[in-house]
């Protein structure tokens, strides 16, 4: 049980490390990010909204992952966003008439090249990690959950 | 566990639905109707004469002399060639280091003379592979250039981006004197670094005509060797306004919106212009497994029918040349020779309206 909890915690930590810098990078280079979204055939018509929504949602998800009670919700949200990003990249690679060069520099943080293909593999891995964490997650205090702390019981005479 | 799997499934469906909605609302896959009918002159796929695997660093066809095809690579001075479609041989020119040469260069072969043309360096290295002689020629254009097309062994036409005004204009360059003569009244002065009317320049050696086909609109401009306008006409689609919108920032010019490509690479031979279209005709369903080539009579501008290359997006051509009855197509992995003999003859021109 302890192993499951550790795995979930590690995955949550990885997502926090992913979402916070990704959001910060977008917000600090907001105009560039919005401009690059405007070059995307899929998003050009909703570029302004998406440019604000994506970093805000990323920060919210990171906060959900920090707090114990909302971790599962954060994992579901991470899974959804990662699935969305993965599908978007796949569509850009296979169906789009034009693919701008943009990925916000987040891959460099994980020591990868910044290409659409690398981004696709990276996102697939993180989508799977979110799935694993959701399936392994145990509610605090449930019968199968590992105790976070041990109560010392004393008997009073 | 079951509940979580259901939620994961629902979230996956939601994500796919969101992407589908984005696709429908944006038409990012380019599946909308384009307002033209493509007419075919060949019912069957063109037969493949021969094909040869090529390394990934081959990026263009330089020239064809007799049975020999010369191929440009990503390395200046390195040229592959094949005479039998069974093996590739190599020409390697030991070129001197020239600043900016690697960043933008083109290779022209007029065997045994090879030209390495530096668009940013504004130099031409001329080497004779038989004599081993080499010299460096200056190109006095007012900025970087691309699309060099040779009219003879010492004259070429280029599309130059003026380094002060950022206008993209045609120049005729004399490599002996180094002079560059600017076109008059052909191109608009847009200060866009050539983005809006980017395209491909070709030269029909038979009729001594230059053809410039826009990538992002249906404009075709025919010029003579002195850069005088001969004719302007349109390709069969209805995209008369450039699908390239530019953003002029501080010291940079880039595309503001995703550029909608109308026409791709092209070739010109014996009065016929062959254009690889990037748009689906309203009478077509499949653009995944075939690539349409539209043909135009360069004297009249008339559309004279299309044919398919028998391979799709996964083997998108990097370059192609028509030589006699053969069509040579270079993809990222193969050089393919197709037979166009007697397969593409139309008895009457096809009418189309704009």
């Amino acid at each position: 049980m302890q192993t499951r909890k550790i795995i979930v915690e590690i995955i949550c930590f990885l997502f926090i490390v992913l979402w916070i810098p990704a959001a910060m990078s977008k917000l600090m280079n907001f105009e560039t990010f919005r401009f690059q979204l405007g070059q995307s055939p899929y998003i050009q018509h909703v570029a302004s909204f998406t440019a604000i929504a994506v970093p805000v949602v990323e920060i919210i998800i990171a906060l959900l992952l920090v707090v114990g009670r909302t971790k599962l919700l954060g994992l579901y949200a991470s899974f959804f966003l990662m699935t969305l990003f993965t599908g978007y990249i796949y569509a850009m690679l296979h169906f789009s008439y034009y693919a701008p060069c943009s990925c916000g520099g987040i891959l460099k943080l994980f020591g990868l090249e910044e290409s659409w293909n690398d981004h696709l593999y990276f996102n697939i891995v993180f989508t799977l990690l979110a799935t694993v964490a959701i399936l392994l997650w145990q509610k605090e205090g449930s019968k199968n959950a590992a105790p976070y702390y041990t109560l010392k019981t004393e008997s009073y005479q | 566990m079951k509940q979580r799997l259901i939620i994961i499934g629902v979230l996956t469906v939601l994500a796919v639905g969101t992407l589908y909605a984005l696709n429908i609302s944006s038409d990012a896959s380019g599946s909308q109707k384009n307002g033209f009918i493509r007419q075919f002159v060949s019912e069957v796929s063109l037969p493949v004469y021969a094909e040869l695997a090529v390394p990934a660093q081959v990026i263009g066809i330089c020239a064809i002399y007799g049975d020999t095809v010369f191929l440009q690579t990503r390395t200046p001075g390195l040229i592959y060639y094949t005479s039998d479609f069974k093996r590739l041989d190599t020409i390697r020119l030991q070129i001197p280091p020239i600043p900016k040469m690697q960043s933008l260069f083109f290779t022209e072969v007029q065997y045994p003379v090879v030209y390495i043309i530096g668009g940013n360096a504004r130099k031409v290295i001329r080497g004779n592979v038989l004599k081993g002689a080499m010299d460096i020629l200056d190109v006095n254009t007012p900025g970087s250039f691309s699309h060099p097309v040779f009219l003879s062994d010492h004259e070429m036409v280029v599309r130059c981006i003026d380094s002060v005004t950022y206008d993209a204009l045609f120049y005729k360059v004399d490599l002996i004197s180094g002079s560059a003569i600017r076109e008059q009244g052909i191109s608009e002065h847009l200060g866009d670094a050539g983005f809006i009317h980017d395209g491909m320049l070709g030269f029909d050696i038979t009729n001594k005509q230059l053809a410039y086909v826009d990538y992002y609109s249906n404009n075709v401009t025919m010029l003579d060797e002195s850069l005088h306008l001969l004719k302007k006409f349109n390709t069969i689609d209805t995209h008369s306004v450039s699908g390239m919108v530019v953003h002029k920032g501080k010291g940079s010019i880039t595309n503001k919106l995703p550029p909608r490509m109308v026409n791709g690479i092209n070739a010109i031979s014996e009065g016929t212009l062959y254009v690889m279209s990037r748009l689906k005709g309203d009478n077509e369903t499949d653009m995944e497994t075939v690539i349409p080539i539209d043909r135009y009579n360069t004297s009249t501008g008339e559309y004279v029918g299309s044919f398919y290359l028998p391979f799709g997006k996964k083997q998108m051509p990097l370059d192609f040349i028509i030589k006699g009855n053969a069509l040579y197509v270079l993809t990222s992995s193969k050089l393919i020779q197709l037979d166009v003999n007697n397969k593409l003859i139309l008895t009457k021109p096809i009418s189309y309206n704009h």
Side-chain angles (χ1 to χ4, degrees):
Chain A
M1 288 306 119
Q2 195 62 31
T3 310
R4 290 170 69 147
K5 181 175 159 39
I6 290 169
I7 291 170
V8 171
E9 290 298 328
I10 289 171
I11 293 173
C12 286
F13 174 75
L14 283 175
F15 270 107
I16 293 166
V17 170
L18 174 70
W19 293 133
I20 293 290
M24 289 302 144
S25 160
K26 289 174 183 111
L27 291 175
M28 284 190 292
N29 304 293
F30 182 73
E31 281 308 317
T32 306
F33 179 55
R34 186 167 64 177
F35 184 78
Q36 287 170 336
L37 288 180
Q39 292 177 315
S40 164
Y42 284 97
I43 302 178
Q44 57 164 318
H45 57 309
V46 287
S48 294
F49 167 75
T50 310
I52 297 167
V54 168
V56 168
V57 167
E58 287 174 342
I59 290 169
I60 291 170
I61 294 175
L63 293 175
L64 290 174
L65 290 167
V66 172
V67 182
R69 292 169 67 181
T70 56
K71 270 201 170 102
L72 184 60
L73 185 60
L75 286 170
Y76 279 132
S78 297
F79 171 82
F80 174 72
L81 205 56
M82 268 297 158
T83 307
L84 201 61
F85 287 171
T86 306
Y88 168 72
I89 293 170
Y90 185 84
M92 288 295 285
L93 279 170
H94 292 88
F95 307 122
S96 174
Y97 61 83
Y98 176 72
C101 45
S102 161
C103 59
I106 197 69
L107 265 66
K108 280 184 180 169
L109 196 68
F110 289 82
L112 296 169
E113 291 292 317
E114 289 193 13
S115 73
W116 283 97
N117 270 319
D118 280 357
H119 222 315
L120 181 66
Y121 301 137
F122 178 87
N123 282 18
I124 289 170
V125 169
F126 267 81
T127 308
L128 292 174
L129 284 176
T131 311
V132 169
I134 289 166
L135 297 178
L136 290 181
W137 189 83
Q138 295 285 341
K139 191 177 177 182
E140 287 173 25
S142 70
K143 276 194 290 186
N144 296 326
Y148 280 103
Y149 52 87
T150 309
L151 281 174
K152 255 188 181 177
T153 54
E154 294 176 13
S155 59
Y156 294 94
Q157 300 283 327
Chain B
M1 179 69 84
K2 189 180 172 187
Q3 188 190 14
R4 287 182 206 173
L5 286 172
I6 290 171
I7 295 173
I8 286 171
V10 169
L11 291 173
T12 306
V13 171
L14 268 178
V16 172
T18 307
L19 289 169
Y20 183 72
L22 281 174
N23 183 37
I24 294 295
S25 58
S26 65
D27 190 40
S29 58
S31 57
Q32 90 285 17
K33 288 191 181 299
N34 289 300
F36 71 95
I37 302 290
R38 184 164 275 128
Q39 305 209 26
F40 291 93
V41 291
S42 175
E43 292 291 323
V44 292
S45 292
L46 301 181
V48 174
Y49 266 164
E51 62 179 43
L52 175 68
V54 296
Q57 74 155 321
V58 173
I59 54 171
I61 302 172
C62 303
I64 297 167
Y65 280 87
D67 293 331
T68 305
V69 184
F70 293 89
L71 302 169
Q72 178 179 344
T73 69
R74 296 181 195 279
T75 307
L78 176 63
I79 297 157
Y80 288 116
Y81 67 96
T82 180
S83 301
D84 54 9
F85 271 79
K86 288 178 181 159
R87 65 171 209 171
L88 278 179
D89 290 305
T90 307
I91 295 171
R92 192 182 292 273
L93 289 179
Q94 294 301 325
I95 63 169
I98 295 175
K100 300 181 186 176
M101 179 57 94
Q102 175 75 48
S103 61
L104 179 66
F105 74 96
F106 309 86
T107 306
E108 165 82 5
V109 176
Q110 295 182 9
Y111 194 80
V113 179
V114 173
Y115 301 84
I116 313 295
I117 306 125
N120 288 334
R122 287 186 261 171
K123 305 262 185 206
V124 173
I125 301 169
R126 181 172 57 184
N128 188 311
V129 295
L130 294 181
K131 295 178 182 172
M134 186 180 294
D135 53 357
I136 299 171
L137 310 165
D138 289 321
V139 179
N140 295 314
T141 51
S144 299
F145 65 84
S146 59
H147 309 295
V149 167
F150 274 73
L151 306 178
S152 66
D153 61 350
H154 67 281
E155 285 179 316
M156 65 176 184
V157 175
V158 299
R159 184 97 168 141
C160 169
I161 296 164
D162 190 299
S163 56
V164 176
T165 64
Y166 296 111
D167 290 331
L169 305 170
F170 294 111
Y171 281 79
K172 183 175 177 179
V173 177
D174 188 318
L175 293 174
I176 295 172
S177 67
S179 66
I181 300 166
R182 196 174 81 176
E183 55 145 293
Q184 296 297 324
I186 305 292
S187 307
E188 293 176 76
H189 294 241
L190 298 170
D192 65 328
F195 273 80
I196 293 173
H197 291 295
D198 193 13
M200 187 169 172
L201 186 65
F203 181 56
D204 186 348
I205 199 160
T206 311
N207 295 338
K208 307 290 183 193
Q209 292 180 342
L210 292 150
Y212 185 73
V213 182
D214 274 28
Y215 287 148
Y216 305 110
S217 75
N218 61 6
N219 296 321
V220 179
T221 308
M222 300 296 303
L223 307 171
D224 68 14
E225 289 179 291
S226 303
L227 303 187
H228 296 132
L229 181 66
L230 292 174
K231 188 174 188 59
K232 282 193 174 189
F233 64 91
N234 301 117
T235 52
I236 51 172
D237 59 90
T238 55
H239 294 255
S240 56
V241 177
S242 175
M244 169 67 81
V245 180
V246 297
H247 169 79
K248 294 177 186 176
K250 290 175 186 169
S252 71
I253 297 174
T254 184
N255 60 305
K256 188 176 181 180
L257 299 173
R260 174 73 77 173
M261 210 163 182
V262 172
N263 292 309
I265 54 175
N266 54 76
I268 182 168
S269 173
E270 298 178 12
T272 303
L273 177 66
Y274 300 78
V275 181
M276 191 180 87
S277 175
R278 303 300 297 271
L279 297 178
K280 186 165 69 71
D282 294 352
N283 58 331
E284 292 175 286
T285 53
D286 180 20
M287 287 282 278
E288 295 296 318
T289 58
V290 288
I291 294 167
I293 304 286
D294 300 329
R295 302 184 318 141
Y296 302 88
N297 181 320
T298 55
S299 301
T300 62
E302 283 175 318
Y303 169 57
V304 288
S306 307
F307 61 89
Y308 281 136
L309 295 180
F311 31 84
K313 276 184 179 174
K314 287 181 181 170
Q315 288 192 79
M316 187 61 83
L318 303 174
D319 201 356
F320 72 93
I321 283 184
I322 302 272
K323 188 83 173 178
N325 292 325
L327 168 64
Y328 298 84
V329 182
L330 177 71
T331 72
S332 58
S333 60
K334 284 178 185 172
L335 176 66
I336 303 163
Q337 185 187 21
L338 299 129
D339 176 17
V340 291
N341 185 27
N342 296 327
K343 296 287 193 304
L344 308 174
I345 297 168
L346 267 188
T347 51
K348 59 178 181 179
I350 294 166
S351 62
Y352 64 102
N353 299 312
H354 284 301

